[in-house]
Amino acid sequence: MKYEAVIGLEIHAQLATKSKIFSGAPTAYGAEPNTQACAVDLGFPGVLPVLNKDAVTMAVRFGLGIRAAVNKRCVFARKNYFYPDLPKGYQISQFDLPIVGEGYIDILLDDDKTKRIGITRAHLEEDAGKSLHEDFQGSTGIDLNRAGTPLLEIVSEPDLSSAKEAVAYLKNIHELVRYLEICDGNMAEGSFRCDANVSVRLVGETELGTRTETKNVNSFRFVEKAINYEIERQIDVIEAGGTITQETRLYDADTNTTRPMRSKEEAHDYRYFPDPDLLPVVITDDLIESIRITLPELPDEKRKRFMETFGLNAYDASVLSSSRPLASYFEAVVKDCNEPKLATNWVMGELSGALNKDGVEIENSPVSAEQLAGMISRITDNTISGKIAKQVFIGMWNGEGSADEIIEKQGLKQVTDTGAIEKIIDDIIAKNPSQVEAYRGGKDKLFGFFVGQVMKETQGKANPKQVNDLLKDKLK
Amino acid sequence: MSIDIEKVANLARLTLSEEDKANYPTQLNNILELANQMQSVDTTDITPLAHPIEATQPLRVDAVTEENQRDLFQSIAPSTESGLYLVPQVINRAKTKETEKE
């Protein structure tokens, strides 16, 4: 690897408020065009913005979630540019005094090591409207429902060195905003989107290369693809003796390429200045403390606790702590059956598989945590084997009742009567003299054959450990 | 510091007459000079002023208080269709579905 990539992400998270950041218009998704755009959102003369308290609270929650310093005094600024979906001719944003200062988040790499990614800042701003360029002969249609929707723009340090790391970081922030209940994280609806700043340089070089910004990539998969494409493209340009132009590019998912978005002569000149319509926002220590006590256990804290308390490995702990509902379910199972290892396997294996297959959220799982724990307890007390348990699980998934009811109804109870198993083994040994001889002659692999025969005879209901012990004894 | 009048006019989306193009630079440069004069004051220990009023931003309770008034607002719009405001086409690329926005 001759080149290395330097990547920073700008994430826009739509805050889960009921009303807009500066007006009382609703923020619900999917309404008829322009039915949720009031006079303030439309930038009518004489209107004044008034800041939404919950937008501030949510930004502070995020700040505490990334262990950042929350700025006690922050200021809104006007970012000036002309576009038809920005009726005022400026976007209200924050510039030199954002609400959230420097923080960080730890991401888990493939080798189970963690890497700390710096977050430069996070600031509040309003979203713009939506332009529709199709279907109108010679015109562009404007829907301003989204104008004024509160956004938190989260800017990372250029600490990411591959597309994979960028996706891991993005997923961690996504996980965090949902834990904090400040954003629904719906990427398809645009409530969580991301721009990637990418540059490359020779390994060992300390100066940063010229970067490009790839806009609005709206899925985790596309983020990885867009960044990889951009890294390759930049290396190709440099290898061919060219130079990288600092520009904004747009990712095209259909062709898996990026292309320049606007011409370079239109260099950005946003002429930021403090918005005279809004006063400085003061955030008191009392407010910060009152928000801090409402914070849930954060994903990385939970991950760490799962590893320490339940002995999980980093990967399992990370999957099980990736969402609050999943983590609660897992903890409820462990609490009931006291078998963290089995609970991990079942929740991440059969249960997650079934949920995925049927497209069901864990909150609506047909198998409750209590039911799953009940089934696990039947494995540990030797009522059923792990193999039979899969059959019991399917029964529970299909609503046939609790594990005990299914075991009873379908007669799945393990045969643990030594005498009965011994009799079956004796029969099998009598019926297969050549295999017995071969085994005794050193063909150890044949042991599995005998186990299989016993299981077949008992329809899988014999206790595997018991069968093993008895077989070993009899085949000596 | 000197004003590039063409650039400033372009950023403000203003078309200037030749006469204005001749006069505005002097006027704008005078304003910049005033700013330069103020720059020379030592402000090391002074907190930057974000707003002339010494008050802080009041906050609104997060509640929906605005009703849909689309028909009223669109009654003064030059052109609408299917609830959308229509404006002269802003990009030429036919394939792009949604705006390439800021």
Side-chain angles (χ1 to χ4, degrees), chain A residues 17-24 33-35 37 39 42 44 50-54 75 81-85 127 130-133 136 138-143 146 215 250 259 261-262 269-270 276 278-280 282, chain B residues 7 10-13 47-51 53 55-70 73-74 76 81-91 93-102:
Chain A
T17 57
K18 294 191 226 26
S19 67
K20 295 199 173 160
I21 183 167
F22 297 119
S23 82
N34 292 306
T35 54
L42 295 174
F44 270 49
V50 188
L51 183 59
N52 185 331
K53 185 177 184 206
D54 282 11
V75 170
Y81 66 92
F82 285 99
Y83 208 76
D85 58 26
D127 206 346
K130 204 164 112 180
S131 303
L132 300 148
H133 300 291
F136 305 100
S139 296
T140 294
I142 306 291
D143 176 7
R146 209 174 59 187
K215 282 272 183 196
L250 198 71
R259 57 179 159 79
M261 206 171 96
R262 53 171 99 76
D269 190 347
Y270 293 130
L278 288 153
L279 294 158
V282 170
Chain B
K7 189 189 170 202
N10 180 44
L11 283 170
R13 298 295 188 272
T47 315
L49 185 72
H51 202 282
I53 301 173
T56 58
Q57 177 62 34
L59 301 175
R60 252 186 47 238
V61 171
D62 178 30
V64 174
T65 53
E66 294 290 335
E67 289 173 8
N68 173 21
Q69 298 188 80
R70 183 174 78 180
F73 295 138
Q74 295 200 334
I76 55 165
E81 191 182 316
S82 317
L84 298 162
Y85 294 91
L86 289 191
V87 299
Q89 196 165 41
V90 285
I91 58 162
R93 257 180 247 111
K95 259 192 82 182
T96 313
K97 285 198 189 97
E98 211 194 305
T99 172
E100 302 176 351
K101 53 195 285 297
E102 297 298 310

Side-chain angles (χ1 to χ4, degrees), chain B:
Chain B
M1 210 184 320
S2 176
I3 287 281
D4 175 351
I5 195 68
E6 301 277 359
K7 189 189 170 202
V8 173
N10 180 44
L11 283 170
R13 298 295 188 272
L14 292 175
T15 309
L16 301 183
S17 66
E18 288 306 315
E19 194 189 338
D20 286 342
K21 272 186 208 166
N23 294 333
Y24 282 180
T26 319
Q27 293 174 13
L28 291 172
N29 279 326
N30 284 344
I31 295 171
L32 285 184
E33 253 161 54
L34 179 68
N36 278 340
Q37 209 180 326
M38 290 191 285
Q39 294 280 22
S40 64
V41 178
D42 180 8
T43 54
T44 320
D45 296 323
I46 297 171
T47 315
L49 185 72
H51 202 282
I53 301 173
E54 285 196 28
T56 58
Q57 177 62 34
L59 301 175
R60 252 186 47 238
V61 171
D62 178 30
V64 174
T65 53
E66 294 290 335
E67 289 173 8
N68 173 21
Q69 298 188 80
R70 183 174 78 180
D71 292 345
L72 178 65
F73 295 138
Q74 295 200 334
S75 65
I76 55 165
S79 179
T80 61
E81 191 182 316
S82 317
L84 298 162
Y85 294 91
L86 289 191
V87 299
Q89 196 165 41
V90 285
I91 58 162
N92 300 320
R93 257 180 247 111
K95 259 192 82 182
T96 313
K97 285 198 189 97
E98 211 194 305
T99 172
E100 302 176 351
K101 53 195 285 297
E102 297 298 310

Side-chain angles (χ1 to χ4, degrees), chain A residues 204-224:
Chain A
E205 176 67 66
T206 49
E207 295 271 303
L208 288 172
T210 305
R211 67 186 165 87
T212 62
E213 183 180 10
T214 302
K215 282 272 183 196
N216 282 338
V217 205
N218 61 1
S219 81
F220 293 119
R221 199 161 59 90
F222 289 161
V223 169
E224 184 159 357

